[in-house]
Amino acid sequence: MTPGHSPDVVVAGGGLGGVAAALTAAALGRTVVLTEELDWLGGQLTAQAVPPDENAWIEGPHSSASYQRLRAGIRDYYRRNYPMTAAARDDVLLNPGRGLVSGLCHEPPVAVAVLSEMLAPYVSSGRIRVLMRHVPVAVEIEGDEVRSVTVRSLETGVEQTFDAPYVVDATELGDLLELGGVEHVIGAESQDETDEPHALPGPANPLDQQAITWCCAIEHRPGEDHTLDKPASYDFWLAHESGVWPGAQLSLADVDPGTLIARELPLFGEVADSKIPRTRWCYRRIRSADQFTGVLTTDVSLMNWPQNDYWLKPLLGVDQETRQDALEASRDLTRSLVYWLQTAVARPDGGTGYPGLRLCPEAVGTDDGLAKAPYIREGRRIRAEFTVTENHVAVVARAGLGGPEQFGDSVGIGAYRIDLHPSTSGRTYVDMDTHPFQIPLGAMLPRRVRNLLPANKNIGSTHITNGCYRLHPVEWAIGEAVGALTSFCLSEKALPTQVRSDPRLLADYQRLLSGTFGVPLEWPEEIRTRPLADAAYRLDAASTPLPAGA
């Protein structure tokens, strides 16, 4: 594919949804331009340094064949390249970090490599053209149709314009929606609009947005001193009391999001009976030294904690200076948390601080050990043909109805609690149990624009249901469905809205998803009718659930 050639699909954003969309469209014979702002593909899984938040059934048949290939590829990469113990190498369900948050906690660079492997044959053939370090800068719309997307290289400043039959917005914040004037929502809707019990009772508040978190990777080297220079905002955060959990921001105390009861998780803990300690360290540990040999002698853990959630300023609906201030403050909060752990946290032996805690640049691909980008929980969301609300998936809202709403236009499935972190309006956690749910096609179709489709956190969810539709396997499923839809529409010479409204087209499209790509479209009744809390939702060695808090 040469510059100036018109691809079949332009995908802006190389997170999980964008990669899945590109892979799927290419597998169906389409040409794709995939752009990414950073120098890593993978979004929340890699550049944002968030281990996969999944569900208790993810190891079975309840995700697509391609998502299973991604997970298997990560495990195989370790087996091929890492010095491991025999027990770890032979473990079919290898969890390199033995983290509590997921059955597959791993180092971000490994996922980057595996995603590149999955794309390689399509890149080699020219079917997918990947433009790294490129951002969209303009979207031309004529009537109700996107005519072109212009992207700019962050390295050279050179701009390229692509006109394509279909455009996919897989950016973290839904950038194409704003550039193209596509109708969208930011922040929290009014209860009058969504009829959700947990929506705002008053007017909508666009500036009520979930916290971001600038994650980082750390290891512990006792006897060494890796203490940071004191961050500029350390004294502020040391004294800051947010009101969303007991005590100061820099502490190990917080609130169980499900019960709002105060709790404290220690930083470290002793291993007993081969079970994983329920500690901060083990929650998102991505390398467990006891599974490796040779030079890999230390654990590595990712810090995506309540204590480095940043919500004082929003990213959307504000000027560029305010957004940049929020990003810098988020980074400094994470540095302050690390500095506090190095110098001031109380140790069980009566001392203070762990100076041997070291930020790990090699684990996140940066110079300072902080992730390449902040973990974005909430961006712009399309005004969709159909909007999924709390009333469709939440256990309490569905009481007596036999499980979640069943969607005849399902294009995939997911399972996660409604898990909203503290927001920029000062609201604390919104956390509630859900049933395993479906992803309706109607939530992926803008009300007006005909050939732009979302493939990230920008589908037709609400501020509330974003809390369960924003996780790794759901984002992948959305991207996969979008990639297949673009190709299907080109073959059938039909618009996405026609696919949804025409029973024959919808059935053929769903058969393409389930038959060709192994995408499950519904949960077995025995799973979907149960609350997630009934399952071993977060698994540790004792097979007991942990509270939500991704």
Side-chain angles (χ1 to χ4, degrees):
M1 190 182 300
T2 58
H5 181 80
S6 298
D8 295 317
V9 186
V10 172
V11 180
L16 290 177
V19 171
L23 280 171
T24 309
L28 291 169
R30 305 302 172 184
T31 54
V32 182
V33 168
L34 172 65
T35 73
E36 167 54 39
E37 178 178 356
L38 302 172
D39 58 354
W40 274 8
L41 296 172
Q44 60 180 319
L45 185 65
T46 60
Q48 297 175 29
V50 182
D53 280 298
E54 297 172 325
N55 60 67
W57 305 279
I58 201 67
E59 303 291 356
H62 304 303
S63 63
S64 71
S66 65
Y67 191 70
Q68 292 298 334
R69 283 199 302 275
L70 170 61
R71 301 178 84 253
I74 290 169
R75 287 173 167 143
D76 288 344
Y77 188 94
Y78 275 95
R79 295 186 183 104
R80 295 196 316 266
N81 297 292
Y82 278 61
M84 305 178 71
T85 66
R89 190 178 305 280
D90 293 341
D91 186 356
V92 175
L93 300 181
L94 170 65
N95 187 351
R98 296 182 72 231
L100 297 170
V101 73
S102 170
L104 186 59
C105 291
H106 56 83
E107 295 156 289
V110 173
V112 174
V114 174
L115 289 169
S116 294
E117 289 176 348
M118 295 176 75
L119 288 163
Y122 302 108
V123 172
S124 180
S125 68
R127 196 170 286 180
I128 295 178
R129 181 181 175 201
V130 181
L131 298 177
M132 304 299 290
R133 300 284 291 148
H134 280 70
V135 295
V137 293
V139 173
E140 179 190 2
I141 287 192
E142 184 176 305
D144 296 335
E145 187 170 312
V146 176
R147 303 301 299 170
S148 67
V149 175
T150 300
V151 299
R152 177 184 297 145
S153 168
L154 295 176
E155 303 291 347
T156 66
V158 172
E159 294 185 357
Q160 298 182 62
T161 297
F162 298 98
D163 55 333
Y166 283 95
V167 171
V168 176
D169 187 346
T171 62
E172 293 296 326
L173 292 173
D175 294 336
L176 298 191
L177 303 183
E178 182 176 55
L179 288 171
V182 179
E183 291 79 2
H184 62 273
V185 180
I186 61 174
E189 298 92 343
S190 166
Q191 193 176 78
D192 292 338
E193 178 183 357
T194 67
D195 196 34
E196 295 172 299
H198 288 82
L200 292 174
N205 184 358
L207 299 183
D208 186 357
Q209 301 163 26
Q210 278 192 79
I212 64 171
T213 306
W214 212 300
C215 303
C216 68
I218 51 174
E219 66 177 345
H220 187 216
R221 296 183 175 183
E224 299 182 11
D225 188 348
H226 296 279
T227 305
L228 302 174
D229 293 335
K230 183 179 176 181
S233 62
Y234 177 73
D235 290 335
F236 169 82
W237 292 115
L238 186 64
H240 181 67
E241 295 193 12
S242 64
V244 301
W245 64 68
Q249 181 90 13
L250 303 184
S251 69
L252 293 179
D254 57 61
V255 171
D256 184 313
T259 63
L260 300 185
I261 295 174
R263 64 176 180 169
E264 183 163 321
L265 289 179
L267 179 60
F268 296 116
E270 297 297 324
V271 176
D273 301 326
S274 299
K275 294 184 175 70
I276 303 172
R278 299 164 79 81
T279 61
R280 293 272 182 219
W281 188 258
C282 294
Y283 194 60
R284 287 189 173 84
R285 183 173 54 185
I286 56 172
R287 188 175 77 206
S288 183
D290 59 5
Q291 298 197 98
F292 298 92
T293 60
V295 297
L296 302 177
T297 59
T298 60
D299 288 1
V300 176
S301 187
L302 291 178
M303 290 178 60
N304 173 16
W305 297 1
Q307 281 72 18
N308 60 328
D309 276 0
Y310 176 84
W311 62 83
L312 296 188
K313 294 180 181 179
L315 297 184
L316 298 174
V318 296
D319 58 40
Q320 185 59 39
E321 182 179 357
T322 301
R323 180 187 294 188
Q324 192 59 40
D325 286 347
L327 294 173
E328 288 302 321
S330 174
R331 290 177 60 87
D332 215 53
L333 169 56
T334 293
R335 292 192 196 96
S336 294
L337 178 57
V338 173
Y339 181 78
W340 178 77
L341 292 171
Q342 292 172 326
T343 62
V345 67
R347 299 197 310 259
D349 65 3
T352 56
Y354 295 90
L357 287 174
R358 171 186 171 268
L359 284 165
C360 300
E362 63 278 2
V364 289
T366 62
D367 292 334
D368 60 6
L370 271 66
K372 290 177 179 286
Y375 177 30
I376 304 294
R377 294 184 174 87
E378 182 178 350
R380 302 175 182 90
R381 305 182 297 278
I382 62 168
R383 291 278 187 188
E385 285 195 1
F386 179 84
T387 301
V388 182
T389 73
E390 174 186 346
N391 298 320
H392 295 120
V393 297
V395 169
V396 172
R398 303 293 299 176
L401 297 176
E405 184 81 16
Q406 293 297 282
F407 299 119
D409 63 343
S410 173
V411 296
I413 59 174
Y416 204 81
R417 294 178 64 83
I418 289 176
D419 172 22
L420 272 71
H421 281 229
S423 71
T424 50
S425 71
R427 280 203 301 171
T428 187
Y429 293 93
V430 176
D431 183 276
M432 68 193 88
D433 202 7
T434 64
H435 295 283
F437 50 80
Q438 295 170 302
I439 306 166
L441 176 58
M444 292 161 32
L445 306 181
R447 292 180 185 175
R448 179 180 61 87
V449 178
R450 298 178 295 188
N451 65 333
L452 182 145
L453 297 165
N456 202 299
K457 305 171 186 72
N458 49 353
I459 67 167
S461 62
T462 65
H463 177 71
I464 302 296
T465 52
N466 163 269
C468 63
Y469 276 83
R470 63 177 169 80
L471 286 308
H472 303 65
V474 180
E475 183 185 336
W476 183 275
I478 291 167
E480 195 166 25
V482 163
L485 181 61
T486 60
S487 181
F488 182 81
C489 288
L490 289 169
S491 296
E492 295 291 330
K493 296 181 173 55
L495 295 171
T497 54
Q498 293 172 319
V499 174
R500 182 175 182 242
S501 62
D502 184 313
R504 180 191 67 81
L505 290 174
L506 178 60
D508 287 348
Y509 166 56
Q510 289 175 319
R511 276 192 290 271
L512 175 66
L513 286 171
S514 60
T516 303
F517 294 100
V519 175
L521 302 181
E522 60 182 355
W523 289 96
E525 183 177 2
E526 64 271 18
I527 294 179
R528 68 173 169 81
T529 55
R530 297 168 57 194
L532 284 175
D534 288 351
Y537 182 52
R538 296 280 172 81
L539 301 180
D540 63 9
S543 295
T544 53
L546 279 175

